[in-house]
Amino acid sequence: MTAEHTVERSGRKDVRELLFSFQSFFGLIAVFVAAIAFSPRRNGEILFLSSENLFNVVRAVSEIGIIAIGMTFVILVGGIDLSVGAVVGLSAVGSAVLLVNDDLGVLPAVLTVLAIGLVFGLLQGMASALFGIQAFIVTLAGLQIARGLARIWSDGQGVAIAYGDGPNEAPLTFSLLGERTFGGVVPIPALIFAGLAVLAVLFLRTSAFSRHLYAVGGNEKAARLSGVPVNRVKIIVFGISGLLAALAGIVHAGQLNQGSPNDGAGYELDAIAAVVIGGTSLSGGRGSVVGTVTGALLLGVLNNILALNNIDANVQLLIKGLVIVAAAALQRLRPTT
């Protein structure tokens, strides 16, 4: 093979790699255009493009998006976290019980719930990294444990959050999580999601830890031989995942004004879907938070336009499943580095 042919093949590979790195953006654009085309109209107005509806899309994906950011860290090291949905339920219950039944202030309650999520994630990371148990098994057990703890803590019932200054009433400050700002337009959860996404992107692009993270996901054995603290990296990313799942549970409780042990059911699947659609490799070592955010928005737009057209819920599941399979299939076609 001549040098000219080698350069040509390398150039084609670089172009393909560039296209695949933006697959989630192309997918979001395609779904967005389709949503405009198939959106119902009212008095000539495209309902999908109304500012209220677009911000509803962002609000709806905020919880899943927050979880998916944490899930991205775990998947980048070649792991998986199936417990995040149950941790959302545990955190929502914890928020409601601490604020209403225990009369804690907002800050102590929030910090306690975040600490619970962080510790829960760290323990799972330790079980997987130190004892060599597959993350799938550890977090599947964690899912059951978190769900059981939520039911014990709430006596198996939802805990309503009423606001006021009296006993068994939560401080009014907590209700801000269900409000909108900037003239009553932008949902508070959307701002939390956006702020976390920016911090996560900066962290992955500038920190030394991120280099260790990608190294472990790309080739764990080589990373270990290079002096990377593999076990520590794995434990930390599971801690991050648990922490962000707890934050999502707090946001969930603030939006719905209650905490139920059944909250967050299936959220882990939506979070994994957002990460996969965003182009992160399930085998680890390749992916980005930007792609994950785009994947979450794609799912949000898809859910929204299907709901606007009153598509049967079972058909919605079918369509979303096909989108996820298509995204995973595209990863198989992506050039290897």
Side-chain angles (χ1 to χ4, degrees), residues 38-53:
F38 292 102
S39 171
R41 266 69 169 172
R42 180 183 299 161
N43 299 325
E45 179 188 6
I46 300 175
L47 293 183
F48 172 75
L49 288 179
S50 66
S51 59
E52 181 178 357
N53 183 69

Side-chain angles (χ1 to χ4, degrees), residues 83 123-125 127-128 133-143:
S83 70
L123 289 175
Q124 290 189 120
S128 177
I133 307 174
Q134 289 186 349
F136 180 90
I137 301 299
V138 171
T139 58
L140 182 61
L143 182 157

Side-chain angles (χ1 to χ4, degrees), residues 21-211:
S21 65
F22 287 97
Q23 71 176 51
S24 56
F25 292 97
F26 296 142
L28 177 59
I29 292 171
V31 172
F32 196 90
V33 171
I36 295 174
F38 292 102
S39 171
R41 266 69 169 172
R42 180 183 299 161
N43 299 325
E45 179 188 6
I46 300 175
L47 293 183
F48 172 75
L49 288 179
S50 66
S51 59
E52 181 178 357
N53 183 69
L54 290 177
F55 280 112
N56 279 336
V57 171
V58 181
R59 180 196 58 76
V61 304
S62 296
E63 292 174 29
I64 296 297
I66 292 170
I67 298 169
I69 291 172
M71 186 72 74
T72 303
F73 282 81
V74 173
I75 292 179
L76 280 173
V77 299
I80 198 78
D81 190 349
L82 300 179
S83 70
V84 288
V87 173
V88 168
L90 176 62
S91 303
V93 164
S95 300
V97 171
L98 292 174
L99 289 168
V100 176
N101 296 352
D102 298 333
D103 291 324
L104 254 64
V106 172
L107 185 59
V110 167
L111 291 178
T112 300
V113 172
L114 290 177
I116 290 172
L118 175 62
V119 171
F120 195 89
L122 290 173
L123 289 175
Q124 290 189 120
M126 291 173 66
S128 177
L130 301 182
F131 297 106
I133 307 174
Q134 289 186 349
F136 180 90
I137 301 299
V138 171
T139 58
L140 182 61
L143 182 157
Q144 303 293 333
I145 293 170
R147 195 67 73 186
L149 289 173
R151 289 174 179 169
I152 292 171
W153 205 353
S154 65
D155 292 327
Q157 300 178 348
V159 180
I161 300 177
Y163 296 101
D165 297 323
N168 297 324
E169 290 182 330
L172 192 60
T173 308
F174 193 74
S175 67
L176 292 175
L177 290 173
E179 300 296 330
R180 297 175 181 240
T181 187
F182 295 109
V185 177
V186 182
I188 298 295
L191 292 179
I192 296 173
F193 173 38
L196 277 173
V198 171
L199 289 176
V201 169
L202 292 175
F203 180 76
L204 285 180
R205 290 185 177 178
T206 61
S207 69
F209 178 81
S210 68
R211 292 191 289 274

Side-chain angles (χ1 to χ4, degrees), residues 7 17 20 81 85 115 127 148 181 211 241 243 253 307 316 322:
V7 171
E17 177 64 28
F20 274 100
D81 190 349
T181 187
R211 292 191 289 274
S241 181
L243 177 67
Q316 291 187 37
L322 292 174

Side-chain angles (χ1 to χ4, degrees), residues 74-79 125 128-135 211-235 237-238 283-285:
V74 173
I75 292 179
L76 280 173
V77 299
S128 177
L130 301 182
F131 297 106
I133 307 174
Q134 289 186 349
R211 292 191 289 274
H212 290 169
L213 189 151
Y214 281 101
V216 172
N219 190 322
E220 181 177 329
K221 184 177 180 180
R224 196 182 299 274
L225 292 173
S226 300
V228 174
V230 173
N231 288 343
R232 187 192 307 169
V233 170
K234 288 185 175 182
I235 292 170
V237 296
F238 275 99
S283 60

